[in-house]
Amino acid sequence: MTVTARTIISVRGLVKSYGTFTVLHGIDLDIAEGEVVCVIGPSGSGKSTLIRCINHLEAFSPESIITVDGIQVKPGAALAKVRAEVGMVFQSFNLFPHMTVLKNVMLAPMRVRGMAEAEAAQKARELLARVGIAEQADKYPGQLSGGQQQRVAIARALAMQPKVLLFDEPTSALDPEMVGEVLDVMRRLAGTGVTMVVVTHEMGFARQVADRVIFMDGGRLVEMGSPSTIFDTPREERTRSFLRAVLNH
Amino acid sequence: MNLVNTFFNAGVFLESLPQLLWGLVVTLEIGLVSIVAGLVGGLVLAVARLYSPALIRLFIRAYVDVFRSIPLLVLLIVVYYALPFVGIRLSPFFSAVTALSLVSAAYTAEIFRAGIEAIPHGQFEASAALGLSNRHTMVDVILPQAIRIVIPPLTNNCINVLKDTALASVVAMPDLLKQATQAQALAANPTPLIGAAAIYVLLLWPMVAVVSRLETHFSRGKR
């Protein structure tokens, strides 16, 4: 990553609470264009909530400021613009079960970008080929394996040509033998210049692919740095104990 | 006097049949117009209840609760006999259609709401994350899935509306029941009433059977 890359996601003083329970305690974070950031940490540390705030799937405290590509993330007309630029891949895929795989990928470009059907179909087939499931285009999501479904979900997100891709534990719901195929697709994506923010428990992936690793605990950014810093020479005791727990089994 | 001649008198039946069939046409007219109006109204109410400001949501909830509580016969009589006092004079046909549609819309709204709520939240989130508008989320993603869920209860509701059209006879609407009672008076024989009952059953039995089949089909094909 070059030092001069401009900031595409900026998070300032992000606070998120449910009633009296605070999930995020004032997060500050800048992510540069093209950067691949992996967010790790124990369950309930707020890492999923953090990325769900970036496209406003979670509402957050009005004093907090998040901007994506210069547009402030808040309810209203500009939010649709942000969401069109920010793709998201969910743990539970969330494909549309009543549409074929091809239609799943075509829908948003047609409805949001106004793309013609023939063009959308051609683009969708290209993307499905890119994630290695061109031959499944006319099946329904329910007929595919979990790994294939998640690859469709990635193609669906890519169809909007987003500047940023958010991954919310994309391999956590998969059978172990299907994790690899999804991580492979993500690894290839990481080289294409799209900004990626990945919440994951796959430490091997984070170490290999991330430009930067963020460790979160208790709703705070505890430590961040290059993969080698975080995994080999973490400063914080909390980071060390978490890594000991997840790596030694 | 034997039973067959009293209740199943072929001569009386054939003589009253044209009158009964005219009544059936009126019954179907009232029923179909009310079903369509109730469906449209119910869908609008259900979607509005999802996306409107709190005050309108409250109003819709009140509407749904009130019109599910009021007996249809009472509503019909209010529409036909009470509204003229404030200058609203509806024909028997429109009185019947108005009362039936108002109540059917309330039930339909509840059915659609349950159908929409049965769609996993992830479908709304995926749509939002893609930047789809509320309208496209509904039209392309949520409603096509909800329709599968709501078809059996909606068909049930249609059956109820068709049955309730018989109440229109109290506002002098010449529907199937009204024609049957008139034919009965004319012939001094209850056969036309039995005939009308048989026509109702013949009309609705296939729909009842379809609902049963749909219910088994959908419960089997559950994802």
Side-chain angles (χ1 to χ4, degrees):
Chain A
M1 206 197 105
T2 54
V3 198
T4 51
R6 71 191 181 96
T7 299
I8 188 150
I9 301 173
S10 151
V11 177
R12 286 288 169 275
L14 177 59
V15 173
K16 159 82 189 171
S17 21
Y18 296 101
T20 56
F21 179 69
T22 304
V23 191
L24 297 173
H25 297 269
I27 306 273
D28 294 303
L29 178 65
D30 283 314
I31 293 173
E33 193 163 27
E35 196 179 8
V36 177
V37 174
C38 284
V39 186
I40 62 171
S43 304
S45 59
K47 51 195 194 309
S48 283
T49 310
L50 167 64
I51 68 163
R52 288 165 56 84
C53 285
I54 293 174
N55 62 353
H56 208 277
L57 284 187
E58 301 281 351
F60 44 84
S61 147
E63 291 86 55
S64 318
I65 294 178
I66 299 179
T67 60
V68 174
D69 205 16
I71 309 171
Q72 192 176 344
V73 179
K74 59 177 180 196
L79 187 57
K81 232 185 240 165
V82 170
R83 284 174 170 170
E85 301 303 332
V86 179
M88 188 166 208
V89 176
F90 299 87
Q91 180 177 348
S92 50
F93 327 137
N94 294 345
L95 294 177
F96 305 133
H98 60 297
M99 296 180 194
T100 62
V101 161
L102 190 71
K103 287 269 157 59
N104 262 276
V105 181
M106 289 164 63
L107 180 68
M110 288 171 61
R111 294 293 185 264
V112 183
R113 303 254 194 249
M115 193 183 280
E117 186 166 355
E119 190 188 354
Q122 192 208 331
K123 287 259 157 66
R125 287 190 191 280
E126 286 170 20
L127 284 167
L128 289 172
R130 231 174 106 188
V131 298
I133 39 176
E135 71 285 359
Q136 314 285 1
D138 298 314
K139 290 194 180 162
Y140 285 85
Q143 298 169 280
L144 305 187
S145 72
Q148 291 172 324
Q149 289 192 48
Q150 195 59 302
R151 285 188 279 158
V152 174
I154 293 173
R156 180 175 69 174
L158 286 173
M160 289 294 286
Q161 296 181 292
K163 298 195 171 90
V164 175
L165 271 177
L166 307 173
F167 293 84
D168 189 2
E169 302 198 23
T171 58
S172 297
L174 295 177
D175 291 339
E177 73 266 31
M178 291 167 183
V179 170
E181 63 189 64
V182 171
L183 292 182
D184 279 344
V185 169
M186 291 169 62
R187 197 170 286 128
R188 272 183 277 135
L189 270 179
T192 62
V194 64
T195 309
M196 290 168 60
V197 186
V198 185
V199 170
T200 186
H201 292 293
E202 298 293 331
M203 298 302 151
F205 175 84
R207 181 191 274 269
Q208 257 186 22
V209 179
D211 297 308
R212 184 157 49 132
V213 175
I214 295 176
F215 174 67
M216 281 183 74
D217 189 29
R220 293 187 167 83
L221 297 191
V222 175
E223 189 167 358
M224 62 183 169
S226 68
S228 57
T229 314
I230 296 294
F231 288 110
D232 301 330
T233 55
R235 274 172 298 134
E236 303 290 331
E237 175 48 35
R238 187 65 194 91
T239 316
R240 280 196 288 267
S241 67
F242 172 77
L243 289 172
R244 261 199 312 276
V246 295
L247 295 177
N248 292 344
H249 63 82
Chain B
M1 180 163 16
N2 79 40
L3 209 64
V4 172
N5 263 337
T6 308
F7 289 109
F8 305 99
N9 190 310
V12 173
F13 178 69
L14 285 178
E15 208 164 297
S16 65
L17 190 59
Q19 199 181 348
L20 293 184
L21 289 180
W22 277 117
L24 176 62
V25 170
V26 172
T27 288
L28 287 175
E29 276 173 3
I30 300 174
L32 293 180
V33 173
S34 306
I35 285 170
V36 170
L39 278 176
V40 173
L43 181 58
V44 169
L45 288 174
V47 173
R49 192 167 171 181
L50 224 58
Y51 289 119
S52 302
L55 190 71
I56 295 178
R57 281 208 302 273
L58 201 71
F59 179 78
I60 292 173
R61 229 186 105 182
Y63 172 91
V64 168
D65 288 355
V66 166
F67 281 93
R68 288 201 307 161
S69 314
I70 193 167
L72 184 58
L73 183 56
V74 174
L75 180 64
L76 180 59
I77 287 177
V78 166
V79 168
Y80 188 67
Y81 291 105
L83 288 187
F85 285 91
V86 292
I88 303 173
R89 233 168 275 276
L90 297 179
S91 67
F93 180 81
F94 277 109
S95 298
V97 164
T98 302
L100 280 165
S101 305
L102 286 172
V103 170
S104 174
Y107 280 100
T108 308
E110 278 301 278
I111 292 169
F112 274 117
R113 186 180 64 88
I116 290 169
E117 280 177 0
I119 304 302
H121 195 59
Q123 296 287 307
F124 287 90
E125 291 196 335
S127 307
L130 286 167
L132 293 177
S133 64
N134 286 344
R135 186 170 70 86
H136 283 134
T137 301
M138 271 295 139
V139 172
D140 292 317
V141 179
I142 305 302
L143 291 181
Q145 298 183 64
I147 289 293
R148 291 170 50 96
I149 302 170
V150 300
I151 279 180
L154 278 184
T155 314
N156 255 329
N157 188 57
C158 291
I159 293 170
N160 285 334
V161 171
L162 279 175
K163 285 201 282 197
D164 288 343
T165 54
L167 291 171
S169 57
V170 302
V171 294
M173 193 66 205
D175 75 326
L176 178 52
L177 178 60
K178 186 77 183 169
Q179 297 284 19
T181 52
Q182 280 175 352
Q184 179 206 10
L186 201 70
N189 180 296
T191 298
L193 273 181
I194 304 296
I199 292 176
Y200 279 115
V201 170
L202 284 178
L203 176 67
L204 292 169
W205 196 341
M207 292 178 69
V208 171
V210 164
V211 174
S212 309
R213 287 194 54 177
L214 284 176
E215 276 167 351
T216 20
H217 175 77
F218 283 129
S219 64
R220 199 176 41 227
K222 221 167 231 163
R223 274 185 298 261

